[in-house]
Amino acid sequence: MPAGYHADVIGSLMRPRYLWEARAALDGGQMPPREFKRIEDRAVDQVIAMQEGCGLDVVSDGELRRFSFLDQLLGSDVEGGTLKEGAAVRFHAQDPAEDWEWHPPVTITGKIRARRMITPEEYAYARGRARRPVKVTLPSPLVLYGAWSPELSTAAYADPWEMFTDAAALMRDEARELARLGCTYIQIDSPDLGTLVDPENREPRESLGMPTERTLTEGVDIINSVADVPGVTFGLHLCKGNYQSKWIAAGGYDETADKIFGRMSNIDVFLLEYEDERSGSFEPLAKMPDDKMVVLGLVSSKRSEVEPADTVIGRIDEAARYVDRERLGLSTQCGFASVSIGANLISEDTQQRKLELVGEVARRVW
């Protein structure tokens, strides 16, 4: 978040029904690609206008052209994967009876190569429609941890870290092309680091041959290498999981703060989930270097209740005990639909009211 921006957006937004219907018609051979593209463009136009109307300082295209936030690594435009389910990731609901296990649909069995880049098209179109700066999101290279198989992936890579390094190179190529097109704000989405706060999510990776200490050293450095692009402000969103209002991890930043905040020399902004007690206290922010900004994810994208503005302002006041207020910003705690079929269980109207709250509070505080 460049200096002066305080009302931020995480990235993904809910797909409108007419876009769903158009995609189904396209997939069913009932709509030509050119007509679908016009409808997709219309949806992007509307979400950009909506965000600007909410008073946000920066906008995204809502990731409406993607199936999920990690299309650049596990989508159809990337070679190296086989359609074979990977290791289970458990998502938690408010009611434990509704907990759910997700398996990455792809296992890495070959060298990772991109058939094409997808973010330059996203950015070029959004830039032409937006009056505010446009943020583009990229997945962390370490999100591929669930697609690693000690039995199958070793045909291509000696260990997961070689795979992560190749994934980082793909994301850095996208970032460099975005910079060439004039993009000045890129966010790296990192559920891989965000969920390390929870022992339940550390253990499966340990069993796959990914020691937590190595993740918090070599892995952090690999993510940091994506942001080695001059002229771009890079943000890191430490996500704790997001699918149909469910989450993967619970826990504060106490154990990871000093190993992430200071080591990430190329990251300018940390976007941190802080919507409820799952995220712990603000005390770990005391370890934030003085040259970094912090976006507080105080507004839940998972729950339909709209937080009182005064309550959000009070929590910003608490955080300002650890980080100078001018280096703070506000956003929702996560996106609203990290996966197109996994939108959180709220309405589009509530989504807009949540973003309006971000804009309102930012105007009042800053």
Side-chain angles (χ1 to χ4, degrees), residues 3-211:
Y5 297 175
H6 297 285
D8 210 327
V9 64
I10 295 298
S12 67
L13 297 169
M14 301 170 75
R15 281 66 168 175
R17 176 175 292 276
Y18 69 80
L19 182 58
W20 277 104
E21 294 171 348
R23 187 170 292 281
L26 175 72
D27 293 343
Q30 300 167 321
M31 178 180 289
R34 182 175 296 181
E35 182 179 348
F36 172 75
K37 185 58 68 176
R38 284 197 296 267
I39 294 172
E40 191 177 57
D41 289 348
R42 168 189 161 200
V44 170
D45 292 350
Q46 290 184 338
V47 298
I48 289 174
M50 182 269 288
Q51 292 169 87
E52 292 180 338
C54 290
L56 302 185
D57 294 320
V58 62
V59 301
S60 81
D61 75 345
E63 300 176 6
L64 300 193
R65 303 185 194 276
R66 307 183 198 176
F67 174 74
S68 85
F69 78 98
L70 36 73
D71 277 5
Q72 299 98 317
L73 289 176
L74 285 178
S76 59
D77 291 307
V78 182
E79 298 176 356
T82 298
L83 288 176
K84 179 178 175 59
E85 286 191 343
V89 178
R90 189 169 188 82
F91 280 80
H92 298 276
Q94 293 288 347
D95 180 355
E98 297 177 3
D99 285 2
W100 172 70
E101 280 194 350
W102 175 75
H103 294 259
V106 171
T107 295
I108 299 301
T109 56
K111 292 290 187 179
I112 303 168
R113 296 183 180 88
R115 295 187 180 96
R116 73 179 185 98
M117 297 181 186
I118 68 172
T119 57
E121 176 191 350
E122 293 175 344
Y123 175 73
Y125 182 86
R127 177 192 61 188
R129 294 297 190 271
R131 294 173 297 171
R132 304 284 172 86
V134 175
K135 168 194 281 190
V136 177
T137 59
L138 298 173
S140 160
L142 269 63
V143 297
L144 286 181
Y145 74 85
W148 172 262
S149 165
E151 295 76 32
L152 300 176
S153 303
T154 47
Y157 295 105
D159 71 6
W161 313 97
E162 288 188 3
M163 176 182 71
F164 297 148
T165 299
D166 272 7
L170 295 189
M171 296 303 92
R172 192 163 53 250
D173 286 346
E174 297 239 4
R176 287 172 175 165
E177 179 62 14
L178 288 166
R180 189 186 71 79
L181 293 173
C183 182
T184 58
Y185 191 11
I186 296 174
Q187 173 182 301
I188 301 172
D189 288 315
S190 185
D192 41 85
L193 292 184
T195 57
L196 277 181
V197 300
D198 193 328
E200 178 182 308
N201 294 284
R202 291 196 293 268
E203 291 166 7
R205 277 178 265 184
E206 296 273 357
S207 70
L208 289 171
M210 303 174 199

Side-chain angles (χ1 to χ4, degrees), residues 254-307:
D254 308 74
E255 295 184 23
T256 58
D258 58 344
K259 298 173 183 177
I260 295 176
F261 298 160
R263 195 176 183 100
M264 290 275 197
S265 58
N266 293 330
I267 298 298
D268 307 290
V269 185
F270 288 91
L271 300 103
L272 307 178
E273 298 197 0
Y274 265 119
E275 93 275 27
D276 59 22
E277 64 280 355
R278 281 192 304 113
S279 298
S281 75
F282 293 125
E283 290 181 10
L285 295 181
K287 299 177 180 179
M288 187 66 64
D290 291 341
D291 62 342
K292 310 295 184 184
M293 297 191 70
V294 178
V295 175
L296 302 169
L298 297 173
V299 178
S300 176
S301 67
K302 293 178 168 60
R303 296 193 298 266
S304 58
E305 301 83 6
V306 178
E307 295 83 348

